[in-house]
Amino acid sequence: MTEASPEGYPADLSASERRMWDAYRTGSVCDLSARAADVDDPHGDHVWGSGRSVRAGVVALLLLHGPPPVPGRVASLKLRGVRITGRLDLSGGTVAPYVELQSCRFDSEIQLSEARFGTLRLVNCAIPRLEAARLHTEGDLHVPRCRVARGIRLTDAQIGTDLLVSQAVVQRDNKGRAIAADGMSVAQDFQGELLETYGEVSLRGAKVGVSMNLRGARLRNPSGRHALNAPQLTVERTLYLTSIAMDYGRGGSGSSTPPYGLGQTPTRGQRAQPFECRGGLRLDDGRFGDAIDFYGARFQLTDEQEISLRRIQTPEFRFVGEGPERGRVVVSGAKVVKLVDTSTSWPGPGGVSIEGFEYENLAPRGHFPLSRRLAWLEAATPEYSPGPYERLAAVLRASGEDADAREVLLAKQRRRRATLPPGPKAWGYLQDWTVVYGYRPGRAALWMAVLWAAGALLFSQLDPPAIKPDEHPEWSAPLYALDLLLPVIDLGQQGQWKLAGGWQWGAAGLVVMGWILATTVAAGASRLLRRG
C-alpha cells in the first residue's frame, strides 16, 4: 500500500476502497448499501461480501495521511453500509477530517486510545469493542443505536462538546463492565436516552458540563454489585434517571446523526418507557448543579444491593420513582434544598437510611400525610436516632406547619421512651398520659380544670379550723384547691387551715398532681423554646 498508481491511488486498492478514496477527497458519502432493509442491517445475519468491504488499514491511511481534497471541497470520511475488515487502530494519532460512519459493520475492535479527533460519529454500527481511553475530541463523540459486543472504554476521555450513546446496546467486557468511563470529561451534554447495557456502567469521577440524560435507559448488571457505579460524578445541571415519553420518532432517517434530547419526561397519560436499573446504583459524593430526577424510575435489587446516594449535594432531589421491593435506599449525609418525593417511592422498614440527611423544603407529590411521613422516619431508623425527627420538625416549622412539627417531636419522644430503663420509661408514660410531653398544652389545662373542680367539690364539704384563730382569711374551698394545685404561686389559703385524716391525703394528692403537671408543662415548653 506504499506504491501509488498513475491515478494517485495506492496500488492495491479494491474497487470499493477506490470509491471510498474518491468520496473522501470530495467530502461525499461512500454508500455501499444494497438498498434492502434486511440485507443492510449491520446487526443482522446476512453476510456482506467483498463488494461492500474495505480494509481497516486503508481507512487508517485516509484518516491519518489521506490525500488532499479536490479543490473547493473539504475532505471527510463518510461511509454508509460498509464492512470494515481487520482492526482499525488509530491509537495516538491525530485525525483532522470529519468522520461519520453509518450502518457499518466492523469485524474487529476499534482502537482509539490517546487519539485526537475533531468530531467522530458512529451511527447504527456493529462494533465488537470500542477502546478509546484518553480519547480527545474537539467536537462530538456520537455512538447512537450502535451495538457493541464487548464494551466501550472511555477512561479519562475528553469530549469537547456532546457525548451521545442514545439507543445503543452495549454488552459487558471481560471485566464485567459495559461502559468504563472513569475520569471522563464531557464539556456539554451526555445523552443516553433508551441506552441498554448488560454490565456495569462505571463513571467514577466523571464530569458533565451541562446535563446528563438517561431517560428510558435500561441498565442491567444482575450478576455484579452495581449497574451504575458513579461516585464523585459531577453534573453541572440535571441528572435525568427518568421515564421517557415515547410519542416521538425513534431512530431518525439514517441520513445523519438522529436528533437527540427530544424525548422528555412524560406527562400523565402519555405512553412512556421507564428508566430501569437491575443492579445497584451508586452516586456517592456526587455534585449536581440543578437536580437529580428519578421520575418513574424502576429498580430491581438483591438484598445486598443499594441505591447509594451518600453525601450527594443538589438543590433539588426528585425521588418519585417506584419503591424497590428489595435492597436499600441510602441518603445518609446527603444535602439537598428541596426534597420532592411520594409515599410509595421509599422502601419499607430496614430499607432506608437517612442518618445525617439534610433537606430544607418538602414538596411531596400526591397524598403524603404526616402519618406516612412518620412511618417513613420509623422505617429509616430501626434504632432510635433523634436527628431525622428534629430535621423533619425544623422543616415543617419553617414552612409554618407548627402543629405537624409538634407531632413529629412527640413521635420522637415516644421512640426515645422505648429505649429507656423501667423507671424513666414509667415517668415518660406518665408525661405522655397527662400532658403529652408538653406538646399539647390544652390537655394540661383540661387536667388542671378537672382536678380543680374535683378539689373544690371535695373541700366544699369541709369547714376546717384555722391554725391561727385570730389571723386567717375567709375559708374558700375553690381558692384552697387552686392554691394546692398551683406550685410557687401563693393565693393565701394553703397553710392557714388544720386538716386531719383523709383530708390531709386529699390535699397532698392535689399538691403532687400540681407539681407533676407544672414540671411536665415546663419541660415541654423548654423543648419548644429550644427548637424555636
Side-chain angles (χ1 to χ4, degrees):
M1 206 180 297
T2 58
E3 297 182 3
S5 66
E7 295 83 2
Y9 300 112
D12 56 350
L13 293 188
S14 66
S16 57
E17 289 169 348
R18 289 193 178 198
R19 288 182 60 182
M20 177 178 68
W21 196 275
D22 291 338
Y24 171 85
R25 295 192 64 202
T26 60
S28 56
V29 177
C30 176
D31 188 350
L32 302 183
S33 58
R35 308 297 187 191
D38 56 339
V39 176
D40 289 334
D41 183 5
H43 316 297
D45 297 329
H46 200 281
V47 177
W48 291 3
S50 59
R52 300 185 62 170
S53 301
V54 300
R55 289 169 290 172
V58 179
V59 174
L61 179 62
L62 279 176
L63 294 178
L64 297 175
H65 304 287
V70 170
R73 306 298 291 270
V74 177
S76 60
L77 184 65
K78 299 177 182 178
L79 304 180
R80 181 182 296 127
V82 176
R83 175 189 172 200
I84 295 92
T85 63
R87 181 186 183 192
L88 180 58
D89 190 348
L90 302 171
S91 300
T94 298
V95 178
Y98 171 85
V99 181
E100 182 175 304
L101 280 66
Q102 298 182 47
S103 301
C104 292
R105 182 183 290 176
F106 291 81
D107 285 356
S108 299
E109 72 174 39
I110 303 174
Q111 176 59 258
L112 305 178
S113 297
E114 302 189 32
R116 300 181 70 90
F117 280 79
T119 289
L120 173 60
R121 290 177 174 167
L122 304 172
V123 182
N124 191 35
C125 294
I127 305 171
R129 175 170 172 79
L130 178 57
E131 178 68 45
R134 296 174 297 283
L135 171 71
H136 185 107
T137 71
E138 297 296 332
D140 298 342
L141 173 62
H142 289 187
V143 199
R145 306 201 314 276
C146 289
R147 295 188 184 180
V148 186
R150 298 194 304 276
I152 297 174
R153 187 182 182 202
L154 289 168
T155 306
D156 296 319
Q158 297 184 44
I159 311 303
T161 49
D162 297 325
L163 172 62
L164 176 63
V165 291
S166 297
Q167 302 178 42
V169 179
V170 188
Q171 304 290 337
R172 60 194 301 166
D173 62 14
N174 57 9
K175 295 183 180 179
R177 295 176 298 184
I179 299 177
D182 299 340
M184 177 183 67
S185 175
V186 179
Q188 295 185 20
D189 289 314
F190 182 145
Q191 296 287 347
E193 295 176 347
L194 301 170
L195 170 69
E196 291 187 28
T197 59
Y198 296 86
E200 180 179 298
V201 176
S202 183
L203 297 169
R204 293 180 294 180
K207 296 180 180 180
V208 178
V210 185
S211 293
M212 180 172 172
N213 176 3
L214 293 177
R215 289 187 177 99
R218 293 176 174 174
L219 311 183
R220 300 177 176 92
N221 190 24
S223 60
R225 185 174 181 184
H226 300 108
L228 176 59
N229 186 21
Q232 297 181 319
L233 172 67
T234 299
V235 179
E236 293 297 330
R237 298 196 65 181
T238 300
L239 171 61
Y240 295 98
L241 303 175
T242 71
S243 298
I244 186 171
M246 299 300 290
D247 298 328
Y248 73 101
R250 295 180 56 164
S253 65
S255 63
S256 182
T257 300
Y260 61 91
L262 300 181
Q264 299 298 313
T265 303
T267 58
R268 185 180 299 275
Q270 273 190 300
R271 189 169 62 94
Q273 176 173 306
F275 169 84
E276 292 184 358
C277 185
R278 299 185 184 182
L281 182 145
R282 183 185 180 207
L283 296 174
D284 297 349
D285 300 295
R287 301 292 183 267
F288 308 92
D290 285 350
I292 303 178
D293 195 345
F294 283 89
Y295 177 82
R298 293 178 182 173
F299 296 92
Q300 294 186 21
L301 310 176
T302 65
D303 292 334
E304 294 76 27
Q305 292 173 336
E306 297 179 340
I307 302 170
S308 181
L309 306 168
R310 294 174 173 86
R311 299 175 299 280
I312 63 167
Q313 294 186 21
T314 182
E316 188 167 334
F317 178 36
R318 305 171 195 152
F319 197 67
V320 287
E322 299 180 10
E325 296 180 358
R326 303 170 63 186
R328 302 174 70 227
V329 176
V330 183
V331 289
S332 301
K335 295 182 179 180
V336 306
V337 177
K338 180 190 289 187
L339 173 60
V340 182
D341 61 351
T342 67
S343 61
T344 58
S345 58
W346 300 95
V352 188
S353 177
I354 60 172
E355 189 65 35
F357 179 31
E358 297 183 12
Y359 50 95
E360 298 179 17
N361 300 298
L362 285 172
R365 291 187 180 177
H367 186 58
F368 205 152
L370 182 62
S371 59
R372 290 191 180 182
R373 185 67 73 181
L374 290 174
W376 170 66
L377 283 185
E378 188 171 356
T381 53
E383 296 182 0
Y384 167 71
S385 177
Y389 288 90
E390 293 170 359
R391 167 59 54 180
L392 177 57
V395 169
L396 291 172
R397 185 179 296 109
S399 62
E401 301 177 47
D402 291 339
D404 285 349
R406 288 195 294 271
E407 288 297 320
V408 172
L409 294 174
L410 174 59
K412 184 194 81 166
Q413 291 295 329
R414 288 170 174 168
R415 283 291 304 279
R416 175 178 176 273
R417 183 177 66 205
T419 67
L420 298 176
K425 182 181 292 187
W427 173 243
Y429 274 113
L430 180 61
Q431 291 187 83
D432 196 355
W433 184 65
T434 53
V435 293
V436 198
Y437 286 98
Y439 292 116
R440 294 179 186 169
R443 182 175 295 191
L446 178 61
W447 273 107
M448 291 289 286
V450 169
L451 290 173
W452 177 47
L457 181 62
L458 175 68
F459 290 115
S460 64
Q461 305 173 29
L462 180 68
D463 186 12
I467 295 175
K468 298 180 179 180
D470 299 330
E471 189 179 329
H472 64 83
E474 182 178 352
W475 167 252
S476 171
L479 279 179
Y480 185 70
L482 188 60
D483 204 1
L484 294 174
L485 278 172
L486 296 178
V488 181
I489 300 176
D490 185 4
L491 298 180
Q493 288 286 329
Q494 187 179 3
Q496 300 293 327
W497 312 99
K498 292 180 180 180
L499 301 182
W503 298 108
Q504 286 182 314
W505 287 103
L510 285 180
V511 171
V512 170
M513 291 303 299
W515 275 104
I516 290 174
L517 288 172
T519 53
T520 53
V521 169
S526 65
R527 282 193 292 267
L528 290 174
L529 289 173
R530 286 199 303 271
R531 300 298 170 236

